[in-house]
């Protein structure tokens, strides 16, 4: 019998808790110096659980001091600590995960791991270094196992301390531990509340982690709260904020300012115009090749969109590239979609192809050194244009704050001018339900027509006197 288990067990009578919505029943007992309790909705269930515990005690089975349950009942939870389990999960998940999934997984596990330490890290470990050691080494297979670039000594020291001080997996059986982790997942590492979308993403990731723990016998059940009664998660708004959509005059002024920048202004103008006129996602636009565009001398052209290159960071991709080659979002492997090219955009694209002497296999919007156009570059250009063109009130508002808002502006324009949602969804690469949920607040200008349609048909006939 180890010092984590004991034969010294004492049981107390079942307590009845009177509640307006129905009584609950609490089983209480003590193992060595530590008290334990569990509450049930039915007295028979509570009595049965207490009887099982007492039966194990009569058989002289040792009880785990931390969990309060017979050692024979436990899974591998008491034998493995959280840190070792989390690293095992990352190693299992990594080969099948995209770069963004890997990055988000590492962030969520970092939050959870800091919450699952026996004591806070010592003062000589800077908090930012502890987080970096976990996020960028412990939970990054590429960096942790790279023989050519060994893990730095200071990082090894931090991770060794974390491994020694991580709680066992059995800690998940304690409500206070689960509450602490849930709080951490909803809080930024600086202490402020996380965005609703981040909380939702962390919850989704941790539920997948718990599923792995159950399948591999580390836990018997998912301890994370479920349902409205156990946790009030922040709501994530699907619909976009109408204020982020740009009007035509502002877009024209910003593209004109960008186009007059020295050296690569024409190329950046064409890139942003592609988002505005064709509604592409930025990661789709940067992946376009010249041969993907049909550009007649006059009239409408057409894009064949078949690839996306999201920017995830070189440490999260298998190739070491900043961008990761992916299939189109929400579509099957190798799927494509056709998107019309406005005549004005056709002219801009023909101009840059000629100016930069681009060949069919070349990127349509090459970076300065010929590679993929970096997100940090085009975001900086857009931010400068926004600061230069927008007045103070508009600049402080959400108007065009993200490059992605050009896509929002395009799709909103299509919907507001009578293009059927099914056609817009096809061009945009969305499903119709998602499209309508996102842009419902931005569809305007059709209310009068709708009211006229129902005015007569809903009018009640006069009743004869």
């Amino acid at each position: 019998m180890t010092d984590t288990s004991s034969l010294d067990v004492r049981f107390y009578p079942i307590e009845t808790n009177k509640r307006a919505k129905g009584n609950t029943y609490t089983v209480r007992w003590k193992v060595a110096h530590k008290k334990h309790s569990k509450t049930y909705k039915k007295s028979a269930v509570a009595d049965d659980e207490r009887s099982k515990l007492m039966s194990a005690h009569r058989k002289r089975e040792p009880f785990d001091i931390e969990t309060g349950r017979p050692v024979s009942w436990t899974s591998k939870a008491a034998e493995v600590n959280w840190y070792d389990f989390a690293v095992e999960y990352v190693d299992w998940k990594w080969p099948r995960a995209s770069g963004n999934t890997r990055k988000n997984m590492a962030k969520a596990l970092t939050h959870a791991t800091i919450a699952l330490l026996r004591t806070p890290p010592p003062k000589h470990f800077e908090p930012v270094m502890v987080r970096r050691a976990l996020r960028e080494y412990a939970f990054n297979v590429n960096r942790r196992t790279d023989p050519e670039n060994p893990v730095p000594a200071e990082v090894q020291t931090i991770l060794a301390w974390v491994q020694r001080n991580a709680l066992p997996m059995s800690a998940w059986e304690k409500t206070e531990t689960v509450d602490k982790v849930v709080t951490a997942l909803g809080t930024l590492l600086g202490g402020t509340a996380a965005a609703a979308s981040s909380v939702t993403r962390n919850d989704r990731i941790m539920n997948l982690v718990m599923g792995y723990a159950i399948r591999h016998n580390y836990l018997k059940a998912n301890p994370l709260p479920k349902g409205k009664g156990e946790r009030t998660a922040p709501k994530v708004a699907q619909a976009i904020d109408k204020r982020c959509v740009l009007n035509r005059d502002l877009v024209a002024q910003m593209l004109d300012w960008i186009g007059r920048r020295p050296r690569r202004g024409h190329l950046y103008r064409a890139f942003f115009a592609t988002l505005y006129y064709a509604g592409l996602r930025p990661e789709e636009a940067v992946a376009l090749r010249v041969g993907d565009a049909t550009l007649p001398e006059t009239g409408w052209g057409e894009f064949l969109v078949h690839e996306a290159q999201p920017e995830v960071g070189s440490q999260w991709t298998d190739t070491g590239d900043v961008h990761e080659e992916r299939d189109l979002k929400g579509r099957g492997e190798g799927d494509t979609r056709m998107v019309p090219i406005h005549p004005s955009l056709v002219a801009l694209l023909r101009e840059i192809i000629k100016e930069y002497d681009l060949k069919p296999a070349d990127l349509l919007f090459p970076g300065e050194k010929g590679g993929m156009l970096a997100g940090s570059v085009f975001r900086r250009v857009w931010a400068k244009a926004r600061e230069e063109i927008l007045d103070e009130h508009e600049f402080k508002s959400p108007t065009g704050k993200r490059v992605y808002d050009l896509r929002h502006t395009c799709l909103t324009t299509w919907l507001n001018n009578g293009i059927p949602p099914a056609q817009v969804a096809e061009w945009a690469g969305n499903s119709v339900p998602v499209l309508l949920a996102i842009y419902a607040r931005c569809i305007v200008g059709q209310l009068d027509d709708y009211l006229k349609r129902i005015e007569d048909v809903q009018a009640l006939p006069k009743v004869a006197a």
Side-chain angles (χ1 to χ4, degrees), residues 167-188:
L167 290 169
M169 287 295 288
S170 56
W172 282 100
E173 298 174 12
K174 300 172 68 175
T175 303
E176 56 266 35
T177 301
V178 176
D179 288 346
K180 188 176 180 182
V181 175
V182 168
T183 299
L185 294 173
T187 308
L188 295 177

Side-chain angles (χ1 to χ4, degrees), residues 417-464:
N417 285 276
I419 305 297
Q423 182 61 73
V424 174
E426 173 63 26
W427 289 342
N430 280 340
S431 69
V432 174
V434 168
L435 180 83
L436 294 178
I438 292 174
Y439 297 100
R441 296 176 184 172
C442 298
I443 301 175
V444 296
Q446 301 173 33
L447 181 59
D448 288 344
D449 182 52
Y450 295 153
L451 294 179
K452 287 178 182 178
R453 292 184 194 180
I454 62 175
E455 182 176 354
D456 290 335
V457 296
Q458 275 195 304
L460 295 173
K462 293 182 179 180
V463 178

Side-chain angles (χ1 to χ4, degrees), residues 98-344:
S98 68
N100 267 325
T101 297
R102 293 170 177 177
K103 182 164 59 176
N104 290 328
M105 173 176 63
K107 289 179 180 179
L109 291 175
T110 296
H111 283 279
T113 301
I114 291 174
L116 288 166
L117 294 173
R118 297 179 190 277
T119 60
K123 292 183 179 179
H124 62 276
F125 290 163
E126 292 185 19
V128 68
M129 285 301 298
V130 175
R131 297 195 294 266
R132 180 172 176 266
L134 288 168
R135 184 181 64 250
E136 298 188 15
Y137 288 93
F139 305 138
N140 185 315
V141 174
N142 289 349
R143 284 192 164 181
R144 176 163 38 86
T145 61
D146 186 355
E148 296 182 5
N149 297 287
V151 178
E154 61 271 25
V155 172
Q156 292 185 33
T157 301
I158 292 173
L159 295 182
W161 182 90
V162 171
Q163 186 178 35
R164 292 193 305 271
N165 288 274
L167 290 169
M169 287 295 288
S170 56
W172 282 100
E173 298 174 12
K174 300 172 68 175
T175 303
E176 56 266 35
T177 301
V178 176
D179 288 346
K180 188 176 180 182
V181 175
V182 168
T183 299
L185 294 173
T187 308
L188 295 177
L189 295 174
T192 58
S197 57
S198 297
V199 177
T200 300
R201 182 177 61 243
N202 287 341
D203 284 353
R204 183 173 64 250
I205 291 169
M206 289 304 297
N207 274 291
L208 292 174
V209 173
M210 294 298 104
Y212 177 89
I214 294 167
R215 292 195 305 276
H216 291 266
N217 200 34
Y218 289 108
L219 297 175
K220 295 296 184 185
N222 186 344
L224 294 174
K226 307 169 191 67
K228 295 181 180 178
E230 297 187 59
R231 180 179 184 186
T232 305
K235 293 182 179 179
V236 180
Q238 265 195 293
I240 63 166
D241 187 340
K242 284 179 65 173
R243 296 175 298 170
C244 77
V245 177
L246 294 142
N247 63 51
R248 290 192 306 167
D249 289 340
L250 283 178
V251 174
Q253 292 174 50
M254 292 177 73
L255 293 186
D256 178 68
W257 184 88
I258 291 169
R260 288 186 280 107
R261 295 308 88 201
R263 295 174 52 222
R264 295 169 57 81
H266 290 173
L267 186 137
Y268 295 138
R269 178 182 61 185
F271 172 77
F272 294 122
T274 296
L275 308 187
Y276 170 75
Y277 281 116
L280 299 191
R281 299 177 176 91
E283 62 265 29
E284 295 170 342
V286 298
L288 286 171
R289 303 279 170 175
V290 174
D292 296 331
T294 301
L295 304 170
E297 291 188 10
T298 59
W300 286 77
E302 192 170 58
F303 282 128
L304 174 62
V305 186
H306 57 87
E307 176 186 347
Q309 290 270 1
E311 191 175 71
V312 297
S314 59
Q315 68 269 42
W316 304 106
T317 64
D318 292 330
T319 61
D321 295 330
V322 173
H323 293 83
E324 181 178 48
E325 184 176 338
R326 306 289 294 175
D327 288 309
L328 298 182
K329 185 175 181 180
R331 299 215 171 194
E333 184 177 348
D335 202 359
T336 64
R337 75 175 193 272
M338 306 299 291
V339 182
I341 306 177
H342 191 281
S344 297

